[in-house]
Amino acid sequence: MNFFQIIEEIEKVDPEVYDRLDSRRAIFNSLRGIGQKVTLATAPLALSALFSKAYGQTSTIPAGVRGVLEFALGLEDLEYQFYRQGLDAPGLTATLTGAGRTAITTITAHERAHQIFLRTALGATAPADRGAAPFDFTGSKGGTRQALFPTVYTDYNTFLAVAQALEDTGVRAYKGGAPALKVSPDILTAALNIHSVEARHASHIRTMRRTIAGGVAGTPSLSASPKSWISGNDGGGPAPSATAGIYAGEEITTQATINLLTNTTPNPSVALASESFDEPLDAATVTAIASNFLR
Amino acid sequence: MSDNLQPRGSDETTLDQPLYTPIKRRSFFMYAGATAGATALVLAGCSKDSDNNPNDAALIDVGSSDVGVLNYAYALEQLEAAFYAQVLTGAYFTGAPAAEKAILTDISIHEKIHADFFKTAITAAAPTQIIKALEVDFSSIDFSNRTRVLEAAKLFEDTGVAAYNGAGRYLTNDTYLTLAGKIVSVEARHAALIRDLISNGTFADNTVLDANALEMSKTPQQVATAVNTYLRNGSKISATRLV
């Protein structure tokens, strides 16, 4: 794998790759076209630099789209660091094992891939990856207030509770950002394709929490809360009031003025009606939630 | 006719494979030369092939633009709701552990809520354009067999996620786009759990994610071809105007 090979592959689907300096959308078309031929993940950082030159002209991404992508990148940075530190935490080595460690490792890799993908899309002026420095996942804001989750990296249950909070927040955030991406259909599709992966993560983290709560290790059960989907505004376990906003509004049972409780035959319970739709969150609320984990 | 001899395209979803096992060209001629049953076989082949022919007048066109996407989603939700309704009457479900019963019951109700929601929403927005109630064909699924049921559920859920993701770009209305987003993440939660029931840890594996860890969305045409396997003649859909 080298740059010339990659460019040749791109040239097959985008003959004007060398001239292309002004089409943001082209990068996604190109990536889709060559996806079967090269494994982009093998040289992501190098590719990022390449695409930044060929496609990364900031002026060609509408400002609104760029804002959403940068916001999404911030969340991916946060999620990746949360899991990375969890995998490395000495206090979790005895409990984060087996299928649980495998799953967290998988999710960590996905968040990393999302980081790289979004930085590539944003190009040369993408916000820098500051690593672990900005984050304090105990929620003490660098020791300046009482920690919200003092045992996040020593207690497995707390670790998973925070993981669920971050994943569910991510799902709501991507949903909230979608309309602003409509002007760039390829970017919208890419964002939707990240959004559903975050939802898969959230589902699995919730399944893991039930397993701990009363099931057989490694075998999903439904012995306790939380369900794999958001029921009412129940976060499925103790969470400090600082993060209550994560589930605020999820309890609604009316969608587009249609009352799901009476519209559905037979009429469902309030819980099931609330579960059947996830809700978006605006950027300000997401920022407020995320800021709990910033120094 | 000659289309019947074509091997399946490699980009087709595996959803319809059980009913569309290709006949090798040589084998086909061997059968065709076997006189008596030959004509019937050939005709059956033609009929089968036309099921997924987008030019077939019997196909239900979901339409274009916003209403087209809503009809498309309505079709998929009808299919899912009907599938889980049948799961709940099957022998596997009857004998399933309580946890699995609870999961499948929840999902069946979520899908019914989605289907009924679209029916009302489209009726209000475009009463003359809503597609009819679809008739399903699950004869290829053994509802007494846990593996068969969960594998089918996995295909329906994964296909639903890939379908919503792929169709979002065709919506012009912000409200509809947000609604699609509200539903697709619930479908993704379903998909992940069904996959974990089949094999724990497969909630987001490389059969649904690409090398960038993005879900591999599907075009409406790809999805229509896949789901038509489970729809009766006269209820099969065409989504060729969602472009």
Side-chain angles (χ1 to χ4, degrees), chain A residues 110 114 168 175 182 186 189 192-193 196 200 203-204 218 222 227-229 255 263 265 275-276 278-279, chain B residues 99 102 106 110 112-114 116-117 120 158 165 169 172 174 181-182 185 189 196 200 203-204 213 215 217:
Chain A
H110 292 166
H114 293 166
D168 282 335
K175 214 184 308 295
K182 229 173 41 186
D186 293 330
T189 301
L192 291 173
N193 284 334
S196 60
R200 288 175 182 269
S203 174
H204 187 75
L222 197 77
K227 293 184 177 185
S228 296
W229 27 87
Q255 297 291 344
N263 183 65
T265 307
E275 292 162 13
S276 62
D278 282 344
E279 299 303 317
Chain B
D106 275 9
H110 296 163
K112 186 69 164 75
I113 291 171
H114 293 164
D116 287 355
F117 168 81
T120 301
D158 282 345
N165 284 1
R169 62 193 292 131
T172 65
D174 281 357
K182 290 177 176 208
S185 56
R189 291 172 188 273
D196 282 336
N200 186 33
F203 54 96
E215 187 107 24
S217 53

Side-chain angles (χ1 to χ4, degrees), chain B residues 63-81:
Chain B
S64 62
S65 193
D66 286 352
V67 175
V69 176
L70 295 182
N71 270 328
Y72 175 56
Y74 178 39
L76 297 176
E77 297 293 352
Q78 285 189 58
L79 186 63
E80 287 190 303

Side-chain angles (χ1 to χ4, degrees), chain B:
Chain B
M1 214 1 259
S2 61
D3 285 350
N4 291 321
L5 301 176
Q6 298 301 316
R8 294 165 44 81
S10 58
D11 60 339
E12 276 184 287
T13 167
T14 56
L15 195 59
D16 54 353
Q17 276 182 348
L19 282 184
Y20 285 82
T21 307
I23 302 172
K24 284 180 184 168
R25 190 178 291 264
R26 246 172 77 194
S27 312
F28 184 91
F29 284 119
M30 284 170 60
Y31 285 118
T35 62
T39 307
L41 180 73
V42 170
L43 288 177
C46 287
S47 163
K48 209 175 197 179
D49 181 61
S50 65
D51 291 351
N52 280 328
N53 185 340
N55 297 320
D56 190 325
L59 293 177
I60 296 169
D61 183 5
V62 298
S64 62
S65 193
D66 286 352
V67 175
V69 176
L70 295 182
N71 270 328
Y72 175 56
Y74 178 39
L76 297 176
E77 297 293 352
Q78 285 189 58
L79 186 63
E80 287 190 303
F83 168 73
Y84 287 106
Q86 195 158 334
V87 169
L88 264 51
T89 65
Y92 150 62
F93 180 85
T94 304
E100 290 182 16
K101 279 186 173 175
I103 288 167
L104 292 165
T105 303
D106 275 9
I107 296 177
S108 75
I109 296 169
H110 296 163
E111 305 298 7
K112 186 69 164 75
I113 291 171
H114 293 164
D116 287 355
F117 168 81
F118 279 114
K119 185 178 184 183
T120 301
I122 301 168
T123 300
T128 62
Q129 296 177 61
I130 187 168
I131 60 168
K132 66 174 186 178
L134 301 179
E135 293 182 46
V136 297
D137 176 4
F138 298 133
S139 57
S140 61
I141 301 168
D142 178 357
F143 286 91
S144 69
N145 182 308
R146 179 182 189 272
T147 301
R148 297 285 174 272
V149 170
L150 294 181
E151 286 292 342
K154 179 175 90 168
L155 283 170
F156 285 126
E157 297 292 352
D158 282 345
T159 302
V161 175
Y164 276 102
N165 284 1
R169 62 193 292 131
Y170 303 120
L171 288 167
T172 65
N173 179 300
D174 281 357
T175 302
Y176 294 153
L177 177 57
T178 300
L179 282 166
K182 290 177 176 208
I183 293 175
V184 68
S185 56
V186 175
E187 302 292 350
R189 291 172 188 273
H190 293 167
L193 180 53
I194 293 290
R195 286 170 151 269
D196 282 336
L197 286 176
I198 294 170
S199 176
N200 186 33
T202 60
F203 54 96
D205 67 19
N206 64 8
T207 60
V208 285
L209 268 57
D210 68 15
N212 293 307
L214 270 62
E215 187 107 24
M216 291 185 279
S217 53
K218 289 189 165 68
T219 66
Q221 291 74 30
Q222 289 175 313
V223 171
T225 301
V227 301
N228 277 344
T229 302
Y230 300 98
L231 293 169
R232 287 194 185 164
N233 284 332
S235 281
K236 296 181 190 295
I237 63 167
S238 157
T240 52
R241 290 200 289 146
L242 289 179
V243 288

Side-chain angles (χ1 to χ4, degrees), chain A residues 20 37 98 177 184 191 207 227 234-235 293:
Chain A
R20 190 169 300 285
K37 297 174 191 157
S184 303
T207 303
K227 293 184 177 185
D234 176 21
F293 303 104

